[in-house]
Amino acid sequence: MDLSIVVPVYNEEENLPLLYQAIIKAVAPLNLQWELILVDDGSRDGSPQVLQTLAKQDPQHVRVVLLRRNFGQTAAIAAGIDHSSGEIVVLMDADLQNDPADIPMMLEKIREGYDVVSGWRKNRQDDLSRTLPSRLANGLISRVTGVHLHDYGCTLKAYRREVLTGFRLYGEMHRFIPVYAHSVGARILEVEVHHHPRRFGKAKYGLERTAKVILDLFTVKFLSSYSNKPIYLFGGVGITLIALAFLVLFYLFVRRVFFGISVLGSPLFQISTMVAIFGFQSILMGLIAELLVRTYHESQGKPTYTVRKTLNFPPDV
């Protein structure tokens, strides 16, 4: 299979027939083997019935996954990826705000050698209450992760399958897939894509997820930067705390020797002692994390590196 298009669906019964027609119009001329995987995320309207109708109408291309309840957008996307078989996987929303007409352009960029092509809704058709928090979040995510994209929230993205393996999606982490891909050396390109006003219904996955996204950002930063050497994080924090504590103790010592001020007469002594203890505990946590990382990699035979290509090796190497 050349191409898999994965679409999470939640209460989009009016949009689904139009979405299907738009995808057919965009992909059919490409002369590819392709599949459309529609994942119903516990819809409460007639979306499951519409999906089953589309599957009967086009059994060659349409695949439907019906989840037992509403698990969230990330879980629906993960289910779609797990059930896909294409060498290239395209993710998009079902609300017709993403334009399937952009898919051929994104596939062309993949053929040019990129591993991830990320959509950028430069002219986003949403009100300020959605665009302003999104811009702030995009700036924060780019700064923390080092993967600079204008629009992490745009679902429309194309991936080579190999950069989607080796990690699982939880929480609201689907928007961080480019960060995971970057951690294994993926070549990432951001392209401008069309964005349309919503024609039917209202946004199902709203701004209430902001706090979850920020918490997931901590997880993503840790996994992308310190998953193989957690002692660098915990040990770095520990050494900083211990150094700070000793500076305060040295200050108290100088003040006692040269000015006769009692060490115990200030709360700085107790504070610096506690800070030193916290620093030592942080280093111990780093050592425990190192043991866990080694157990994780060695028990599952997971390498600590990824290979893009090999040359002149026999097939079994």
Coordinates of all heavy atoms in Angstrom, one line a residue, residues 210-241:
T210 N -5.7 22.8 26.6 CA -4.5 23.6 26.7 C -3.6 23.1 27.9 O -2.4 22.9 27.7 CB -4.8 25.1 26.9 OG1 -5.6 25.5 25.8 CG2 -3.5 25.9 26.9
A211 N -4.2 22.9 29.1 CA -3.4 22.5 30.2 C -2.8 21.1 30.0 O -1.7 20.8 30.4 CB -4.3 22.5 31.5
K212 N -3.6 20.2 29.3 CA -3.1 18.9 29.0 C -1.9 18.9 28.1 O -0.9 18.2 28.2 CB -4.2 18.0 28.4 CG -5.4 17.8 29.3 CD -6.5 17.0 28.6 CE -7.7 16.8 29.5 NZ -8.8 16.1 28.8
V213 N -2.0 19.8 27.1 CA -0.9 20.0 26.1 C 0.4 20.4 26.8 O 1.5 20.0 26.5 CB -1.3 21.0 25.0 CG1 -0.1 21.3 24.1 CG2 -2.4 20.4 24.2
I214 N 0.2 21.4 27.7 CA 1.4 21.9 28.5 C 2.1 20.8 29.3 O 3.3 20.6 29.3 CB 1.0 23.1 29.4 CG1 0.6 24.3 28.5 CG2 2.2 23.5 30.3 CD1 0.1 25.5 29.2
L215 N 1.2 20.0 30.0 CA 1.8 18.9 30.8 C 2.4 17.9 29.9 O 3.5 17.3 30.2 CB 0.6 18.2 31.6 CG 0.1 19.1 32.7 CD1 -1.1 18.4 33.3 CD2 1.1 19.4 33.8
D216 N 1.8 17.6 28.7 CA 2.4 16.6 27.8 C 3.7 17.1 27.2 O 4.6 16.4 26.9 CB 1.5 16.3 26.6 CG 0.3 15.4 27.0 OD1 0.5 14.6 28.0 OD2 -0.7 15.4 26.4
L217 N 3.9 18.5 27.2 CA 5.1 19.1 26.7 C 6.3 18.7 27.6 O 7.4 18.4 27.1 CB 5.0 20.6 26.6 CG 6.2 21.4 26.1 CD1 6.6 20.9 24.7 CD2 5.8 22.9 26.1
F218 N 6.1 18.7 28.9 CA 7.1 18.2 29.8 C 7.5 16.8 29.5 O 8.7 16.5 29.4 CB 6.6 18.3 31.2 CG 6.5 19.7 31.8 CD1 5.3 20.3 31.9 CD2 7.7 20.3 32.2 CE1 5.2 21.6 32.4 CE2 7.6 21.6 32.7 CZ 6.3 22.3 32.8
T219 N 6.5 15.9 29.2 CA 6.8 14.5 28.9 C 7.6 14.4 27.6 O 8.6 13.7 27.5 CB 5.5 13.7 28.8 OG1 4.8 13.8 30.0 CG2 5.8 12.2 28.5
V220 N 7.2 15.1 26.6 CA 7.8 15.1 25.3 C 9.3 15.6 25.4 O 10.2 15.0 24.8 CB 7.0 15.9 24.3 CG1 7.8 16.0 23.0 CG2 5.7 15.2 24.0
K221 N 9.5 16.7 26.1 CA 10.8 17.2 26.2 C 11.7 16.2 26.9 O 12.9 16.0 26.5 CB 10.8 18.5 27.0 CG 12.2 19.1 27.3 CD 12.9 19.4 26.0 CE 14.2 20.1 26.3 NZ 15.0 20.3 25.0
F222 N 11.2 15.5 28.0 CA 12.0 14.5 28.7 C 12.3 13.4 27.7 O 13.5 12.9 27.6 CB 11.3 14.0 29.9 CG 12.0 12.9 30.6 CD1 13.1 13.2 31.4 CD2 11.6 11.6 30.5 CE1 13.8 12.1 32.0 CE2 12.2 10.6 31.1 CZ 13.3 10.8 31.9
L223 N 11.3 12.8 27.0 CA 11.5 11.7 26.2 C 12.4 11.9 25.0 O 13.2 11.1 24.6 CB 10.1 11.1 25.7 CG 9.2 10.5 26.8 CD1 7.9 10.1 26.2 CD2 9.9 9.4 27.5
S224 N 12.3 13.2 24.5 CA 13.1 13.5 23.3 C 14.5 13.8 23.6 O 15.4 13.6 22.8 CB 12.4 14.6 22.5 OG 12.4 15.8 23.3
S225 N 14.8 14.4 24.8 CA 16.1 14.9 25.1 C 16.8 14.0 26.1 O 18.1 14.0 26.2 CB 16.0 16.3 25.7 OG 15.5 17.2 24.7
Y226 N 16.1 13.3 27.0 CA 16.8 12.6 28.1 C 16.4 11.2 28.3 O 16.7 10.6 29.3 CB 16.5 13.4 29.4 CG 16.9 14.8 29.4 CD1 15.9 15.8 29.3 CD2 18.2 15.2 29.5 CE1 16.3 17.2 29.3 CE2 18.6 16.5 29.5 CZ 17.6 17.5 29.4 OH 18.0 18.8 29.4
S227 N 15.6 10.6 27.3 CA 15.2 9.3 27.5 C 16.3 8.2 27.5 O 16.2 7.2 28.2 CB 14.2 8.9 26.4 OG 14.8 9.0 25.1
N228 N 17.4 8.5 26.9 CA 18.6 7.6 26.9 C 19.6 7.9 28.0 O 20.3 7.0 28.4 CB 19.3 7.6 25.6 CG 18.5 7.0 24.5 OD1 17.7 6.1 24.7 ND2 18.6 7.4 23.2
K229 N 19.6 9.2 28.5 CA 20.5 9.5 29.5 C 19.8 10.4 30.6 O 20.1 11.6 30.7 CB 21.8 10.3 29.0 CG 22.7 9.4 28.1 CD 23.3 8.3 29.0 CE 24.2 8.8 30.1 NZ 24.8 7.7 30.9
P230 N 18.9 9.9 31.3 CA 18.2 10.7 32.3 C 19.0 11.3 33.4 O 18.7 12.3 34.0 CB 17.1 9.7 32.9 CG 17.7 8.4 32.6 CD 18.4 8.5 31.3
I231 N 20.2 10.7 33.6 CA 21.1 11.2 34.7 C 21.6 12.6 34.3 O 21.9 13.4 35.2 CB 22.4 10.3 34.8 CG1 23.2 10.7 36.1 CG2 23.2 10.3 33.6 CD1 22.4 10.5 37.4
Y232 N 21.6 13.0 33.0 CA 21.9 14.3 32.6 C 20.9 15.4 33.2 O 21.3 16.5 33.5 CB 22.0 14.5 31.1 CG 23.2 13.7 30.5 CD1 23.2 13.5 29.1 CD2 24.2 13.2 31.3 CE1 24.3 12.8 28.5 CE2 25.3 12.5 30.7 CZ 25.3 12.3 29.4 OH 26.3 11.6 28.8
L233 N 19.6 15.0 33.2 CA 18.6 15.9 33.7 C 18.6 15.9 35.2 O 18.8 16.9 35.8 CB 17.2 15.5 33.2 CG 16.0 16.2 33.8 CD1 16.1 17.7 33.4 CD2 14.7 15.6 33.3
F234 N 18.4 14.7 35.8 CA 18.4 14.6 37.3 C 19.7 15.0 37.9 O 19.7 15.7 38.9 CB 17.9 13.2 37.7 CG 16.5 12.9 37.3 CD1 16.3 12.1 36.2 CD2 15.4 13.4 38.0 CE1 15.0 11.7 35.9 CE2 14.1 13.1 37.7 CZ 13.9 12.2 36.6
G235 N 20.8 14.5 37.4 CA 22.1 14.9 37.9 C 22.4 16.3 37.8 O 23.0 16.9 38.6
G236 N 22.0 16.9 36.6 CA 22.3 18.3 36.4 C 21.5 19.2 37.4 O 22.1 20.1 38.0
V237 N 20.3 18.8 37.7 CA 19.5 19.5 38.7 C 20.1 19.3 40.1 O 20.3 20.3 40.9 CB 18.0 19.1 38.7 CG1 17.3 19.7 39.9 CG2 17.4 19.5 37.4
G238 N 20.5 18.1 40.4 CA 21.1 17.8 41.7 C 22.4 18.6 41.9 O 22.6 19.2 43.0
I239 N 23.3 18.6 40.9 CA 24.6 19.3 41.1 C 24.3 20.8 41.3 O 25.0 21.5 42.1 CB 25.5 19.0 39.9 CG1 26.0 17.6 39.9 CG2 26.6 20.0 39.8 CD1 26.7 17.2 38.6
T240 N 23.4 21.3 40.5 CA 23.0 22.8 40.7 C 22.5 23.1 42.1 O 23.0 24.1 42.7 CB 22.0 23.2 39.6 OG1 22.4 22.9 38.3 CG2 21.6 24.6 39.8
L241 N 21.7 22.2 42.6 CA 21.1 22.5 43.9 C 22.2 22.4 45.0 O 22.3 23.2 45.9 CB 20.0 21.5 44.2 CG 18.7 21.7 43.4 CD1 17.7 20.5 43.8 CD2 18.1 23.0 43.7

